[in-house]
Amino acid sequence: AQKVTQAQTEISVVEKEDVTLDCVYETRDTTYYLFWYKQPPSGELVFLIRRNSFDEQNEISGRYSWNFQKSTSSFNFTITASQVVDSAVYFCAMKGGSEKLVFGKGTKLTVNP
Amino acid sequence: EAGVTQSPTHLIKTRGQQATLRCSPISGHTSVYWYQQALGLGLQFLLWYDEGEERNRGNFPPRFSGRQFPNYSSELNVNALELEDSALYLCASSLGRVDGDTQYFGPGTRLTVL
């Protein structure tokens, strides 16, 4: 069975701080896909990134960066110079062969001005 | 390009009634997924439809059912509503039949059961 663990339930930072959201996954599949979604207070899940298990290259998109390490089964998400608009619940998710997207329980990030 | 749309935004029902939630996928997407986000329980997979067929089902009782129409839109029906069915119901769509294709989510329907 697949499992995604986001150990940080809530994180609070002050604007312009860097923050890293942790994600650890478990799977027996050799091919799998990892995702991050953002859920602002409005409720809609916004897709941020998708990685497949064969591509361990880190990715940077503006202030967002992702670190994928198969050796530690982790797919961490860093926001650099956080802003108030980054306040949201962030979900890490994975999909293996079952086509079922399995989510972590989410990390609520609050960025204070 | 329009995203995934869901209706209604809010739905209030009483225990024992039936609720019908609707979802329209992104144009060109053939797969539709339903998820339940109940307070304290996280996001739980409910159903997956592709090309009009139910492809997978989460660990929910049979009173949760749905269908996908020829235009790929979908309905989720919840019969004999219980108080614990109160949740945000999220619909997602994807291209379908593509390994690991990304699911894009709609704004959700908030169901309240009194």
Side-chain angles (χ1 to χ4, degrees), chain B residues 16-81:
Chain B
Q17 285 188 315
Q18 179 197 31
T20 298
L21 289 63
R22 297 180 177 83
C23 171
S24 291
I26 291 171
S27 177
H29 286 190
T30 63
S31 278
V32 171
Y33 309 80
W34 288 95
Y35 294 86
Q36 182 196 65
Q37 188 176 23
L39 204 60
L41 295 179
L43 278 151
Q44 304 290 324
F45 167 74
L46 260 167
L47 290 159
W48 169 33
Y49 292 95
D50 182 67
E51 298 284 358
E53 301 285 330
E54 182 179 303
R55 302 295 183 185
N56 202 350
R57 182 182 182 85
N59 190 22
F60 281 84
R63 56 191 188 82
F64 286 84
S65 65
R67 54 180 171 167
Q68 186 178 34
F69 298 99
N71 66 353
Y72 303 113
S73 67
S74 176
E75 265 183 11
L76 173 68
N77 294 294
V78 187
N79 293 320
L81 284 166

Side-chain angles (χ1 to χ4, degrees), chain A residues 17-48:
Chain A
E17 278 187 48
D18 298 347
V19 58
T20 295
L21 309 182
D22 297 333
C23 173
V24 174
Y25 62 91
E26 295 175 32
T27 183
R28 292 183 180 174
D29 292 327
T30 53
T31 302
Y32 52 89
Y33 301 85
L34 298 167
F35 303 81
W36 276 95
Y37 287 87
K38 173 183 179 180
Q39 188 176 40
S42 60
E44 182 172 350
L45 279 170
V46 177
F47 166 71
L48 295 177

